[in-house]
Amino acid sequence: AIIGATGSGKTTLFQLLPRLYQPTSGDITIDNNNIQTYPIEQIRANIGYVSQTPLLFSGTIRDNITFGYEAATDDQVVQAAQDAQIHETIMDFTNKYDTVVGQKGVNLSGGQKQRISIARALIRKPSILMLDDSTSALDMTTEAQLLQAIDSYNNTMLIITQKISTAKRADRILLLDHGRVKHIGTHDELIETSDLYKKIIVSQAQKEVSNV
């Protein structure tokens, strides 16, 4: 998990992996091999990337989920949607998976757009799944169910999040501050070693209380 204030460099760090940016120093490795040794098409074919702003286009929900993987079967579409916690919502629509989505998903809620975008990434069974604050519109229960479903996938997941409740599930947490890695560790380790991390926890707890 990667956390940090707005402008701390979370998305920029993310975009180094699919080589949308090139590092100016240091090395990025996948399976102990420098990322530069892989063909860029191979890297991107093995990454499922869900951006901060869900990218949907005019067409059916099925079209949006299978975009880039048109050979997907109906069973694969349903499974991806179930894991993304959007299947039941889709089945409530009159035309179900044939429901037409307006440009940029104007007829869907923020959470629905995020989950359809996640289903699009999941259907390809990527080796690396990257979620860039793409569960921000989900309630805690739905997000927990989503992350639990993703646990069954045989991949590495990287997630940018503002939520401590999400970050604490990760094997490692990177805390960024002004474009630099401030601390790395598990949730329990950061509670012990990072004053900034503890401040974030307290701030979120106060917001939760004020919203009750």
Side-chain angles (χ1 to χ4, degrees):
I2 302 173
I3 65 173
T6 301
S8 60
K10 301 184 297 296
T11 297
T12 301
L13 179 63
F14 243 36
Q15 292 177 343
L16 289 168
L17 193 53
R19 291 173 60 183
L20 299 176
Y21 291 118
Q22 297 297 331
T24 55
S25 63
D27 296 316
I28 301 173
T29 62
I30 299 177
D31 294 334
N32 295 318
N33 296 313
N34 191 298
I35 197 172
Q36 301 294 335
T37 65
Y38 294 100
I40 196 167
E41 295 82 6
Q42 180 184 358
I43 291 174
R44 293 179 179 177
N46 283 281
I47 290 176
Y49 192 124
V50 185
S51 63
Q52 282 179 294
T53 304
L55 180 60
L56 302 183
F57 55 87
S58 295
T60 66
I61 290 176
R62 179 183 283 103
D63 291 338
N64 273 277
I65 292 177
T66 60
F67 181 72
Y69 190 58
E70 286 76 8
T73 66
D74 287 346
D75 286 345
Q76 289 174 313
V77 172
V78 169
Q79 185 63 60
Q82 287 176 333
D83 292 338
Q85 310 304 308
I86 191 64
H87 173 70
E88 291 183 6
T89 299
I90 293 171
M91 296 306 290
D92 285 339
F93 294 144
T94 301
N95 294 318
K96 300 179 172 52
Y97 283 88
D98 293 321
T99 299
V100 174
V101 175
Q103 187 68 28
K104 297 183 179 180
V106 293
N107 52 333
L108 299 174
S109 70
Q112 291 167 348
K113 287 187 283 189
Q114 285 186 337
R115 285 175 285 163
I116 289 173
S117 296
I118 292 170
R120 179 194 296 157
L122 293 179
I123 198 170
R124 296 170 48 241
K125 298 292 180 74
S127 300
I128 301 173
L129 178 64
M130 305 177 69
L131 305 181
D132 185 353
D133 206 19
S134 47
T135 62
S136 58
L138 307 186
D139 61 68
M140 290 181 62
T141 300
T142 302
E143 183 181 46
Q145 292 170 339
L146 166 67
L147 296 176
Q148 183 175 1
I150 292 175
D151 281 345
S152 66
Y153 285 66
N154 184 26
N155 63 22
T156 296
M157 183 173 73
L158 307 175
I159 182 168
I160 292 174
T161 181
Q162 301 292 344
K163 305 174 185 176
I164 293 295
S165 60
T166 303
K168 68 190 299 183
R169 298 172 59 98
D171 299 303
R172 299 183 80 191
I173 301 169
L174 272 66
L175 175 57
L176 298 188
D177 186 35
H178 294 94
R180 295 185 178 278
V181 176
K182 188 79 170 178
H183 297 284
I184 302 176
T186 65
H187 173 74
D188 291 339
E189 289 170 347
L190 293 185
I191 287 177
E192 294 295 326
T193 60
S194 173
D195 289 338
L196 178 56
Y197 191 73
K198 286 185 284 190
K199 287 180 181 178
I200 295 172
I201 293 175
V202 171
S203 175
Q204 291 192 9
Q206 290 173 342
K207 288 180 181 178
E208 290 174 3
V209 171
S210 65
N211 289 332
V212 172

